[in-house]
């Protein structure tokens, strides 16, 4: 991955540091000292120690007149001393995101609209679909559309083509915006921590087909949607965001589905935004979200 570093302002370059490591005394002090050594000025900081896993998580926004390479080198010693898994991101970079969808376009439209409006910090160089229904929507937003059909016999070839496309376009994040195909275990492993799916229910309820009809039959009073990272365990990846809305007995299944579409779009866009802003850190099967 190559970074295009934004030009420095009078206040210096902006950076985001994220890290996780075994929890122990002195981590915040050591990180702060490294940032001072890099002439860094902290503008936002959040941290969390997980009592369940014994891990420590931290996210810091800061500015420094020094280059990315200089700041990275200053932090490297502290990271090694504490056994940190860490990343340093230049501020202002938009996450290169490939969006996959099948026939439903509401989530895709939400993401593309917000990206165009500048409220979602992503860059979308491609849309992939196993159908052609959404090609006109991609054309409207001026995003290249790639039709990759999937059948039981061609699934392997389709996923290889997807991998090639991701490599060609330097993709950092994949978003399944109602992409109605199950990814293989190998592809899920390759995309660990960088593929987000929207599930049309408030997990773990009402999995599978026609979830709103299932919800209607049970007389639910709340419907919702769950945005989560993709894993080989179907719809059971680490949850990033959930949205709900109250309904009552007067709503038909079709009305629930319409309301659900709006909820799905909100949950997915929030999850994508937080990921792109480096606000989501993995803690085993859970997420730490510094939102």
């Amino acid at each position: 991955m190559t970074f295009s570093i934004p030009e420095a302002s009078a206040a210096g370059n902006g950076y985001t540091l994220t890290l996780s490591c075994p929890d122990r005394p002195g981590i915040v002090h050591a990180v702060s000292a490294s940032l001072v050594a890099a002439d860094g000025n902290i503008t936002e900081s959040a941290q969390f120690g997980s009592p369940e896993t014994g891990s420590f998580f931290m996210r810091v926004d800061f500015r420094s007149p020094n280059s990315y390479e200089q700041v990275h080198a200053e932090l490297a010693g502290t990271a090694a001393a504490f056994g940190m898994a860490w990343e340093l991101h230049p501020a202002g970079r938009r996450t290169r995101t490939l969006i996959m969808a099948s026939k439903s376009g509401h989530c895709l439209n939400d993401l593309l609209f917000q990206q165009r409006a500048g409220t979602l910090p992503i860059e979308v160089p491609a849309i992939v679909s196993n159908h052609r229904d959404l090609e006109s929507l991609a054309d409207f937003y001026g995003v290249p559309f790639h039709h990759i059909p999937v059948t039981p016999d061609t699934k392997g070839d389709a996923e290889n083509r997807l991998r090639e496309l991701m490599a060609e376009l330097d993709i950092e994040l994949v978003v399944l915006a109602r992409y109605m195909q199950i990814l293989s275990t190998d592809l899920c492993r390759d995309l660990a921590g960088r593929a987000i799916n929207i599930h049309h229910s408030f997990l773990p309820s009402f999995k599978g087909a026609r979830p709103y009809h299932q919800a209607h039959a049970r007389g639910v009073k709340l419907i919702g949607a769950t945005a989560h990272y993709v894993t080989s365990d179907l719809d059971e990846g680490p949850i990033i965001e959930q949205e709900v809305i109250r309904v009552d007995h007067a709503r038909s299944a079709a009305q629930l589905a319409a309301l659900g579409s709006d909820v799905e779009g909100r949950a997915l866009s929030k999850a994508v935004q937080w990921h792109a802003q480096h606000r989501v850190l993995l803690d085993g099967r859970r997420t730490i979200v510094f939102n």
Side-chain angles (χ1 to χ4, degrees):
M1 189 65 58
T2 57
F3 287 143
S4 176
I5 310 296
E7 292 185 5
S9 68
N13 299 308
Y15 300 100
T16 298
L17 169 67
T18 60
L19 63 91
S20 62
C21 62
D23 201 356
R24 56 181 269 200
I27 300 172
V28 175
H29 174 79
V31 170
S32 300
S34 293
L35 293 179
V36 169
D39 297 320
N41 180 41
I42 294 174
T43 56
E44 180 182 334
S45 180
Q47 54 271 334
F48 174 72
S50 172
E52 288 83 12
T53 63
S55 296
F56 178 83
F57 302 86
M58 190 173 186
R59 179 188 183 276
V60 185
D61 285 339
F62 65 97
R63 304 196 69 84
S64 169
N66 295 328
S67 69
Y68 177 90
E69 292 75 16
Q70 290 171 319
V71 175
H72 192 281
E74 194 64 56
L75 289 165
T78 298
F82 284 86
M84 294 176 180
W86 66 293
E87 294 180 350
L88 179 67
H89 302 274
R93 286 190 66 255
R94 294 183 174 271
T95 300
R96 291 182 63 80
T97 303
L98 184 146
I99 305 177
M100 303 181 71
S102 290
K103 294 185 176 183
S104 297
H106 56 282
C107 287
L108 174 62
N109 185 65
D110 282 351
L111 294 173
L112 294 176
F113 177 82
Q114 291 185 54
Q115 185 270 332
R116 174 178 283 187
T119 58
L120 198 61
I122 61 173
E123 178 183 356
V124 184
I127 295 165
V128 168
S129 180
N130 54 326
H131 299 281
R132 291 195 176 275
D133 299 57
L134 301 176
E135 188 167 8
S136 60
L137 182 61
D139 291 342
F140 174 79
Y141 284 101
V143 180
F145 181 88
H146 299 265
H147 178 224
I148 304 180
V150 181
T151 68
D153 294 333
T154 64
K155 188 179 184 69
D157 291 338
E159 290 193 348
N160 287 336
R161 174 58 188 137
L162 178 63
R163 287 187 178 92
E164 292 171 357
L165 191 62
M166 290 174 59
E168 291 169 10
L169 299 175
D170 202 20
I171 295 299
E172 300 169 89
L173 174 66
V174 173
V175 178
L176 307 185
R178 296 305 302 274
Y179 181 69
M180 307 307 289
Q181 288 288 323
I182 297 174
L183 304 185
S184 69
T185 298
D186 287 345
L187 184 56
C188 289
R189 187 182 303 113
D190 293 345
L191 294 175
R194 58 191 188 106
I196 297 174
N197 183 42
I198 185 66
H199 189 275
H200 45 210
S201 77
F202 192 57
L203 290 177
S205 301
F206 309 120
K207 296 183 180 181
R210 297 166 66 85
Y212 296 108
H213 290 76
Q214 296 178 48
H216 181 262
R218 293 287 299 277
V220 302
K221 302 303 182 255
L222 291 171
I223 61 173
T226 299
H228 63 93
Y229 284 118
V230 174
T231 67
S232 56
D233 295 323
L234 183 61
D235 297 327
E236 294 187 10
I239 293 171
I240 305 170
E241 172 64 347
Q242 293 182 294
E243 288 272 338
V244 296
I245 187 171
R246 180 166 289 278
V247 296
D248 61 28
H249 61 276
R251 300 286 188 178
S252 67
Q255 288 173 323
L256 295 189
L259 290 169
S261 294
D262 184 56
V263 174
E264 291 167 15
R266 292 204 307 269
L268 182 59
S269 62
K270 284 183 181 179
V272 171
Q273 182 170 43
W274 293 336
H275 177 97
Q277 292 175 336
H278 316 293
R279 295 184 178 276
V280 187
L281 285 78
L282 285 168
D283 183 20
R285 297 183 64 183
R286 302 171 66 239
T287 59
I288 309 301
V289 184
F290 292 125
N291 59 359

